[in-house]
Amino acid sequence: MPQAPRCFTPDNRILLGPGPSNCPPSVLQAMSSPMIGHLDPQFLKLMEEIQQLLRYLFQTRNLMTIPISGTGSAGMETCLVNLLEPGDTAVICRNGVFGNRMADVAERCGANVVTIDAPWGQIIEPIAINKKLASLHKVKLVGIVQAETSTGIHQPLQEIVKIVHEHDSMILVDAVTSLGGVDVKMDKWEIDAIYSGTQKCLSCPPGLAPISLNERAMDVVRNRKTKVQSWYLDLSMIGKYWGSERVYHHTAPISMIYALHEALRLIMEEGIDARVERHRQNALLLKERLHELGISFAAQEGFHLPTLNAIAIPEDVDDAAVRKTLLDEYGIEIGAGLGEFKGKVWRIGLMGFSSQKRNVFLLTEALKAILHL
Ligand SMILES: *Cc1c(COP(=O)(O)O)cnc(C)c1O
């Protein structure tokens, strides 16, 4: 008989990459609570609370505010596959990996995808959107990433939302690395549809994708001419489980929902404004300390994302070797550059529970020692 492998016991890491971030102990504990059924009255009550907590987090009153089973990309796909029908025109803004992914998903929905491109590390300018929308007929939606995790850009949204609405189109926002770390005001900013993920600034394990759609977006979903291509992500069916009917669609990932409840509860306890301020302060501290070491930022000045800091790798430094030493000797994970930024940029996440003063000092001292600065 082959021997069973040993029980898997990973080391404790300090997660300062593009996600997952570290989880507070009580979030991990919540996952080890006893299993109950997905239609158990206790679970239904938990679902109610999850929706209320998510509405607090998104700063919205939207009824359709739920966690989708799956990671952030499932949230992206849910929004696009429900809002778009074959032949619709969608404008997608691309200035990094996740804008590219949005365009890819929209294309797979059968949409006619028009892109607005900006260089990596730069924001999308509102005027570019205005021009593009003026040149097109009947654009169903405009997709944009608020926090581009591949480049460290914090995209301003308010002016863009106004422009999109002036052209009678809807705005879809990727808030995967912004929600719970920087301001996201869904109702005040009049965002029509939004998605996020649990493992970035919510500091919950990966596996759920909170989404919210306003009534305008839900009207589009309700008035579709064709069936949603994805059975699993069809909001008209998922909505019947989360709504008053409680009709079985797919088994909710029970333990993940426990974890999300605790993560959201902790966010409410801290308060959104205080949490955003903590992320801002710790990113400023990181910037100061890196500046002292002569390390500079890669993204456009004035638009640095506090939750994901893209920094230029100093010259003559072995990218992979430094990251390996950080992990092996200091237990710290940071992210490598992606795509156009591969080998040029390190990505330092200060997300959720990982956004702590002591982590900033630990990382910068470790870099100082490894790079002999
Ligand atoms: C991480 C991320 C995603 C994808 O989320 P997964 O959980 O990896 O599926 C989408 N958009 C942005 C901006 C991200 O940072």
Side-chain angles (χ1 to χ4, degrees), residues 71-73 98 101 145 147 149 174 176-177 199-200:
T71 64
S73 305
F98 296 102
R101 185 173 300 179
V145 178
T149 320
D174 177 320
V176 178
T177 297
Q199 79 275 23
K200 312 239 170 139

